[in-house]
Amino acid sequence: GRGTSASAGDLRLSFRGILAIVAALALTAWLPGRPLSGSQASWLGAAPTSPGGVRGGSLGVRRRAEAAAGPGGGLASQPGRLLRGIDWTRYHLWVYFVDGAGPVYSRCRLARLFFDKVCEARGTNGVLYWAAGGIDPPVRPDKGDVDIVAAVPGLGADDVQNLAGPPYTWDPGDLDTYDVVVALDVGTREAICSRLRAAGKNDDPEHLCLLEDFYTSYDEMLAAESGEKPRGPAGLAPGLLSAEGLQGLSPGEPLKGTPRRMPVGLPLEDLPEVWMEELWPAGEGPAESTPESEAQREAGRMLRSIVGLERRLMASIPEGMRWWNDEE
């Protein structure tokens, strides 16, 4: 696939350098959501210390919209359950990645980075927002998880700053704040459900899922799309503007009408080429015998799942939904 390589001026960090940064986080005992000193926050560009402070805070009463299956309508049970209950009535979704392995919570930091970069490359970061949090106290120690971060090639200085930003502390009240809550593993999901029960909340919410649920989503959607006939009015084609396409163009005016469905596309277009060359195929392979190879396989599986999650969420925009500027 087509990708982009960073300019020569970008800072390149070795695996050892990334490990040193993550180790520094552990040594300073930055638990998720703990306030940082002014100098630390300035250096890290750190996130707010409470999820309530992110992009508008509480989302209020949730009004469910029946989501469209989109390409690949035959969904596996867990993704299908999530997508049927997604709420698009605010024209965007908040996705919260939760990690139960601490104290560094390496995997939710990496999931946050992958999702950020995939959405930015696809141009979907205007409707898909993200956050990451850890369960405190952690469900299990995350010894060894830093190796997964270190196995990701092609990271620049901005990526490392993203990884260094401390996650939030997950709280049962977050269930009402975020549209999609993604547990990084089964143990994390069970811990979330246990804490929800203890708080007197629904311990089996539709919008709680496992990241691994979306591991095969990209391949399924691509296969389904290849068998579909084009639908909807034609837009712009090279050298040709149809009457229908002209009618849909309104330069300088806000978005109106029905959101155009995006094709599944190449998995890692406009992302580092080395991800497609190394991580993507590694994520498809069997368990590896060496720690380094297994860490790269785990990073590749996470990347595949993140790509599948983004595609499924964008395909879940309900049929007939219209942008806010089109509502009376």
Side-chain angles (χ1 to χ4, degrees), residues 171-182:
D171 182 87
D174 295 336
L175 193 71
D176 303 318
T177 303
Y178 292 90
D179 301 288
V180 182
V181 179
V182 184

Side-chain angles (χ1 to χ4, degrees), residues 107-222:
R107 292 175 307 156
C108 75
R109 295 172 188 255
L110 184 57
R112 175 181 66 188
L113 172 69
F114 279 160
F115 194 73
D116 180 25
K117 292 184 77 71
V118 167
C119 291
E120 181 179 14
R122 289 262 293 171
T124 58
N125 52 350
V127 292
L128 297 179
Y129 306 148
W130 50 258
I135 295 178
D136 184 27
V139 177
R140 66 170 179 83
D142 57 0
K143 183 179 180 180
D145 284 356
V146 291
D147 295 339
I148 300 175
V149 178
V152 179
L155 296 180
D158 289 344
D159 302 324
V160 174
Q161 181 168 324
N162 185 316
L163 290 168
Y168 299 123
T169 302
W170 182 83
D171 182 87
D174 295 336
L175 193 71
D176 303 318
T177 303
Y178 292 90
D179 301 288
V180 182
V181 179
V182 184
L184 270 294
D185 58 30
V186 174
T188 298
R189 189 184 193 284
E190 291 175 350
I192 290 174
C193 293
S194 175
R195 284 161 172 75
L196 290 174
R197 283 193 297 273
K201 292 180 172 290
N202 175 18
D203 65 352
D204 189 26
E206 282 187 336
H207 60 296
L208 171 63
C209 62
L210 282 171
L211 180 58
E212 190 81 359
D213 291 341
F214 299 90
Y215 171 69
T216 61
S217 288
Y218 173 81
D219 292 333
E220 292 166 358
M221 294 179 68
L222 187 64

Side-chain angles (χ1 to χ4, degrees), residues 30-326:
W30 286 344
L31 294 174
R34 177 173 293 179
L36 305 179
S37 70
S39 60
Q40 289 171 335
S42 174
W43 178 73
L44 287 173
T49 58
S50 166
V54 295
R55 301 201 191 202
S58 177
L59 303 180
V61 178
R62 300 174 60 87
R63 179 165 60 89
R64 296 291 182 177
E66 187 68 19
L75 302 176
S77 58
Q78 287 303 317
R81 181 173 183 263
L82 166 71
L83 298 175
R84 282 192 298 271
I86 281 184
D87 175 14
W88 273 101
T89 56
R90 289 167 295 102
Y91 311 100
H92 67 266
L93 299 178
W94 266 102
V95 182
Y96 195 15
F97 298 99
V98 183
D99 191 359
V104 179
Y105 304 95
S106 307
R107 292 175 307 156
C108 75
R109 295 172 188 255
L110 184 57
R112 175 181 66 188
L113 172 69
F114 279 160
F115 194 73
D116 180 25
K117 292 184 77 71
V118 167
C119 291
E120 181 179 14
R122 289 262 293 171
T124 58
N125 52 350
V127 292
L128 297 179
Y129 306 148
W130 50 258
I135 295 178
D136 184 27
V139 177
R140 66 170 179 83
D142 57 0
K143 183 179 180 180
D145 284 356
V146 291
D147 295 339
I148 300 175
V149 178
V152 179
L155 296 180
D158 289 344
D159 302 324
V160 174
Q161 181 168 324
N162 185 316
L163 290 168
Y168 299 123
T169 302
W170 182 83
D171 182 87
D174 295 336
L175 193 71
D176 303 318
T177 303
Y178 292 90
D179 301 288
V180 182
V181 179
V182 184
L184 270 294
D185 58 30
V186 174
T188 298
R189 189 184 193 284
E190 291 175 350
I192 290 174
C193 293
S194 175
R195 284 161 172 75
L196 290 174
R197 283 193 297 273
K201 292 180 172 290
N202 175 18
D203 65 352
D204 189 26
E206 282 187 336
H207 60 296
L208 171 63
C209 62
L210 282 171
L211 180 58
E212 190 81 359
D213 291 341
F214 299 90
Y215 171 69
T216 61
S217 288
Y218 173 81
D219 292 333
E220 292 166 358
M221 294 179 68
L222 187 64
E225 184 181 76
S226 65
E228 283 190 346
K229 294 181 179 180
R231 58 180 178 176
L236 284 171
L240 176 66
L241 177 62
S242 67
E244 293 86 357
L246 180 62
Q247 195 173 33
L249 294 175
S250 302
E253 293 186 10
L255 289 170
K256 290 188 177 182
T258 302
R260 185 180 296 274
R261 292 194 175 276
M262 299 180 64
V264 176
L266 298 174
L268 301 177
E269 189 168 16
D270 294 324
L271 289 168
E273 291 180 355
V274 69
W275 289 10
M276 192 66 196
E277 295 167 356
E278 298 182 15
L279 282 189
W280 194 257
E284 195 175 21
E288 297 287 349
S289 56
T290 66
E292 294 80 8
S293 298
E294 180 60 19
Q296 188 174 61
R297 188 183 78 94
E298 289 296 321
R301 289 186 69 88
M302 179 182 289
L303 180 60
R304 281 176 170 266
S305 300
I306 290 289
V307 168
L309 174 63
E310 187 271 344
R311 299 304 198 273
R312 288 291 192 200
L313 292 179
M314 290 305 299
S316 74
I317 295 177
E319 294 283 358
M321 187 184 94
R322 306 184 74 81
W323 292 112
W324 62 91
N325 294 297
D326 221 36

